[in-house]
């Protein structure tokens, strides 16, 4: 039908039921859970598609169920309760009991997140451990001062995992309210039987342990259980020289590890070639406040440049003092062989100029920094020393670049006008690999993302 110049090409209402399930699934994927509940009531065809588990990913308890126990009991009787995939245990206004937890026994939970404050003293350890061990992912966040889950409940989880479990991801962290190098305290988990740790983590593919205190015997069991991991975060856990060597020996034997994050570990006693052998077989490596000698870093970079490597993403946070004196040519070649490289300091002028020189010729780098945490290129103190044409070619060889143009911490924009003109001139001529340009909006405290598009022979952004 026509209304002026508008042609209504929408399908008659009855025809929507005839759309292929694949099309309906794509459409339903854009809906919030509250809208999916309504879709279930439209027709049998829509109901059969909308009930598919993939569409309910992340579906968590409604807030009302945390405010009132009666709401939880009433919600458990609804058909949508069986579709819960994500259970967040935190900030309930009433004391949870076995009666409440038995409601979760038949659920096929993908993830359970336990955050302070939480009072589970009314829930038996065995029932709690049984429910958690049936999840694919468990994320526990303990807090220094707030009511916590407690080591007994953590032990119950690891005890249930000993035999049969769906769990592949286990994360346990402690917010100590301190900062490196003077943390206030760590969560003492030394009462957990060592054999529980080894058997439990041997079943995992992802483990994140942060700011915890283990006994020596536990650490030995822990490391023996790391052999099948694909992702490991080991943050703020005190190790002596012997324990550090044991950890490195374990990592040297693993071949499935794709992601490694190490923090506050002293690696100065580990031979450079051992470190290179470990790190270069891992896709994503994040080192934070790790103690290393400059020659160790340089040796790792040289091995990376000259040999085969799986490493594509490297972060060296809090380590600027060590790598700022690495040979400029070695650093430049290593950085440009990566896909992303993050560090939180500045670079001397010789390193900076050499890095952009190599980048202007050829690079694997997609961005300076990591996705979600890119480094503003204009805030390098000596960026003004880089030739405008070299800098222009280098930045246009990336896929994403971020400009800060000054910030609220007093760090200004060190780019010169000729450098900016050369950059945007090359961009306008379409001699670029750039897909996005990020700029900081300090007034509204957000990042503005500009997508670089080409259409009808012209460059424009949106």
């Amino acid at each position: 039908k026509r209304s002026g110049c508008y042609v209504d090409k929408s399908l008659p209402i009855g025809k929507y039921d005839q759309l292929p399930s694949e099309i309906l699934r794509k459409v339903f994927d854009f809906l919030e859970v509250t809208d999916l509940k309504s879709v279930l009531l439209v027709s049998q065809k829509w109901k059969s598609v909308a009930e598919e588990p993939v569409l309910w990913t992340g579906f968590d308890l409604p807030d009302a169920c945390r405010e009132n126990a009666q709401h939880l009991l009433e919600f458990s009787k609804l058909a949508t309760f069986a579709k819960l995939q994500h259970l967040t245990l935190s900030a309930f206004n009433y004391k949870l009991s076995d009666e409440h937890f038995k409601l979760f026994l038949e659920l096929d939970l993908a993830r359970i997140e336990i955050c302070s404050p939480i009072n589970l003293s009314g829930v038996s350890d065995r029932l709690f451990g049984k429910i958690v061990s049936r999840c694919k992912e468990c994320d526990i966040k303990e807090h220094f001062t707030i009511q916590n889950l407690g080591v007994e409940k953590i032990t119950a989880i690891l005890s249930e995992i000993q035999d049969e479990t769906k769990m592949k991801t286990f994360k346990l962290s402690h917010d100590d309210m301190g900062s490196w190098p003077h943390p206030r305290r760590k969560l003492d988990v030394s009462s957990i039987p060592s054999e529980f740790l080894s058997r439990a983590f041997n079943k995992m593919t992802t483990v994140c342990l942060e700011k915890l205190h283990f006994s020596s015997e536990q650490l030995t069991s822990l490391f023996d259980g790391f052999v099948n991991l694909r992702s490991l975060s080991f943050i703020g856990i005190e190790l002596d020289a012997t324990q550090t060597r044991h950890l490195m020996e374990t990592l040297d034997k693993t071949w499935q590890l794709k992601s490694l994050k190490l923090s506050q570990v002293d690696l100065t006693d580990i031979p450079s070639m051992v470190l290179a052998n470990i790190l270069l077989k891992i896709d994503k490596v994040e080192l934070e406040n790790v103690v290393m000698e400059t020659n160790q870093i340089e040796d790792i970079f040289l091995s990376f440049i000259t040999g085969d490597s799986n490493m594509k993403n490297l972060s060296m946070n809090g380590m600027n003092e060590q790598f700022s004196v690495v040979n400029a040519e070695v650093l430049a070649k290593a950085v440009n062989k990566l896909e992303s490289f993050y560090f939180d300091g500045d670079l001397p002028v010789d390193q900076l100029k050499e890095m952009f020189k190599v980048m202007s010729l050829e690079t694997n780098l997609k961005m300076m920094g990591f996705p979600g945490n890119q480094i503003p290129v204009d805030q390098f103190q000596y960026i003004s020393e880089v030739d405008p044409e070299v800098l222009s070619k280098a930045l246009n060889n990336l896929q994403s670049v971020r400009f800060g143009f000054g910030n609220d911490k007093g760090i200004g924009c060190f780019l010169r006008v000729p450098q900016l003109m050369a950059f945007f001139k090359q961009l306008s001529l379409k001699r670029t690999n750039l897909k996005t340009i990020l700029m900081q909006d300090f007034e509204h405290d957000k990042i503005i993302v500009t997508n670089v598009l080409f259409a009808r022979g012209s460059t424009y952004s949106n």
Side-chain angles (χ1 to χ4, degrees):
K1 62 183 179 181
R2 294 178 178 273
S3 176
C5 63
Y6 171 72
V7 179
D8 186 355
K9 295 183 179 180
S10 61
L11 291 172
I13 296 298
K15 295 289 186 180
Y16 284 107
D17 253 8
Q18 299 176 21
L19 288 172
S21 296
E22 293 77 10
I23 300 297
L24 289 174
R25 190 180 301 111
K26 285 285 187 183
V27 174
F28 295 167
D29 195 36
F30 289 97
L31 301 180
E32 299 292 337
V33 169
T34 51
D35 298 318
L36 275 176
K37 294 176 184 177
S38 300
V39 167
L40 293 170
L41 306 175
V42 174
S43 68
Q44 284 296 326
K45 173 70 176 289
W46 283 33
K47 184 175 184 292
S48 65
V49 176
E51 284 184 330
E52 295 183 14
V54 68
L55 296 174
W56 296 83
T57 300
F59 179 35
D60 206 333
L61 275 178
D63 290 339
C65 294
R66 293 184 174 82
E67 297 169 1
N68 187 291
Q70 187 60 35
H71 287 153
L72 175 60
L73 295 173
E74 291 173 358
F75 179 63
S76 69
K77 298 173 184 177
L78 302 178
T80 49
F81 180 73
K83 301 185 183 304
L84 274 178
Q85 291 195 24
H86 184 156
L87 179 59
T88 300
L89 297 176
S90 180
F92 280 77
N93 290 342
Y94 54 94
K95 187 176 180 179
L96 290 164
S97 66
D98 279 1
E99 179 187 1
H100 302 125
F101 257 71
K102 286 176 181 177
L103 299 173
F104 305 134
L105 272 173
E106 302 304 318
L107 296 177
D108 185 19
L109 292 170
R111 186 172 191 267
I112 187 165
E113 185 175 353
I114 306 160
C115 313
S116 303
I118 185 69
N119 181 3
L120 296 178
S121 60
V123 180
S124 66
D125 291 349
R126 185 168 184 182
L127 176 61
F128 174 77
K130 187 176 182 179
I131 289 172
V132 176
S133 67
R134 293 181 176 184
C135 300
K136 298 173 184 175
E137 179 179 341
C138 174
D139 188 355
I140 303 170
K141 298 180 176 73
E142 295 282 75
H143 195 278
F144 167 50
T145 57
I146 302 176
Q147 191 170 33
N148 290 308
L149 177 65
V151 176
E152 293 79 10
K153 287 289 191 295
I154 298 171
T155 304
I157 296 171
L158 297 174
S159 176
E160 289 293 330
I161 292 174
Q162 302 301 297
D163 299 317
E164 187 175 349
T165 183
K166 295 180 180 178
M167 193 178 295
K168 293 298 179 184
T169 297
F170 183 83
K171 301 178 181 180
L172 174 59
S173 60
H174 181 232
D175 184 356
D176 64 356
M177 302 296 290
S179 59
W180 171 262
H182 302 295
R184 294 184 181 176
R185 65 174 65 185
K186 303 180 189 298
L187 177 65
D188 189 345
V189 293
S190 59
S191 61
I192 299 175
S194 298
E195 62 270 20
F196 283 12
L197 296 170
S198 179
R199 292 174 190 165
F201 293 143
N202 194 48
K203 299 173 184 288
M204 303 296 155
T205 57
T206 299
V207 169
C208 175
L209 303 172
E210 181 173 355
K211 297 178 182 175
L212 310 173
H213 171 68
F214 293 100
S215 68
S216 297
E217 182 182 352
Q218 284 178 315
L219 287 170
T220 299
S221 295
L222 266 179
F223 300 155
D224 291 341
F226 284 169
V227 292
N228 297 318
L229 290 181
R230 295 179 184 173
S231 177
L232 172 64
S233 293
F234 204 72
I235 303 168
I237 297 174
E238 189 173 343
L239 301 177
D240 61 27
T242 301
Q243 292 160 349
T244 301
R245 283 194 296 272
H246 189 178
L247 174 60
M248 293 299 110
E249 288 168 3
T250 300
L251 296 180
D252 196 24
K253 296 173 185 176
T254 62
W255 288 100
Q256 300 185 65
L257 203 61
K258 302 296 182 185
S259 175
L260 174 66
K261 183 171 183 178
L262 288 179
S263 175
Q264 301 170 28
V265 178
D266 188 340
L267 299 179
T268 52
D269 288 339
I270 309 300
S272 300
M273 291 303 100
V274 173
L275 289 174
N277 190 50
I278 294 169
L279 301 180
L280 299 188
K281 64 184 178 184
I282 302 172
D283 180 294
K284 183 178 181 180
V285 176
E286 297 178 79
L287 305 176
E288 182 176 1
N289 295 315
V290 170
V291 182
M292 296 174 68
E293 301 288 352
T294 298
N295 68 288
Q296 290 176 302
I297 298 174
E298 196 163 297
D299 288 343
I300 292 169
F301 282 166
L302 281 169
S303 297
F304 178 56
I305 295 168
T306 58
D308 294 330
S309 172
N310 292 324
M311 187 167 65
K312 297 179 181 178
N313 309 281
L314 175 63
S315 171
M316 302 181 77
N317 199 11
M319 300 174 64
N320 193 60
E321 183 178 345
Q322 295 107 307
F323 76 80
S324 63
V325 291
V326 169
N327 177 273
E329 186 176 345
V330 171
L331 177 67
K333 289 181 178 179
V335 167
N336 282 284
K337 191 176 178 180
L338 294 162
E339 290 186 2
S340 64
F341 177 62
Y342 179 83
F343 58 99
D344 61 342
D346 212 326
L347 291 177
V349 64
D350 61 327
Q351 287 184 339
L352 198 67
K353 291 173 74 172
E354 187 65 26
M355 181 179 70
F356 283 114
K357 176 184 173 183
V358 174
M359 194 185 302
S360 70
L361 300 174
E362 185 178 12
T363 185
N364 291 330
L365 268 185
K366 296 180 179 180
M367 65 189 70
M368 292 295 297
F370 269 21
N373 194 20
Q374 289 193 47
I375 301 171
V377 295
D378 57 309
Q379 290 179 16
F380 290 119
Q381 184 176 356
Y382 300 108
I383 191 75
S384 62
E385 301 292 324
V386 181
D387 179 81
E389 292 301 320
V390 169
L391 183 63
S392 172
K393 291 176 181 178
L395 297 182
N396 278 282
N397 275 341
L398 303 176
Q399 292 186 14
S400 182
V401 65
R402 178 182 172 186
F403 296 102
F405 295 123
N407 64 24
D408 55 358
K409 296 180 181 179
I411 300 177
C413 173
F414 295 104
L415 284 171
R416 293 181 288 119
V417 172
Q419 292 173 314
L420 286 169
M421 291 179 63
F423 168 75
F424 284 108
K425 179 181 179 181
Q426 182 164 341
L427 184 67
S428 68
L429 296 174
K430 298 189 291 186
R431 297 198 301 265
T432 186
N433 294 324
L434 281 173
K435 296 179 180 179
T436 58
I437 299 174
L438 282 64
M439 288 181 283
Q440 182 75 45
D441 180 354
F442 293 106
E443 182 178 352
H444 300 97
D445 192 25
K446 65 179 182 180
I447 300 292
I448 300 173
V449 180
T450 301
N451 296 311
V452 179
L453 305 172
F454 296 102
R456 297 178 184 176
S458 62
T459 306
Y460 67 98
S461 62
N462 67 343

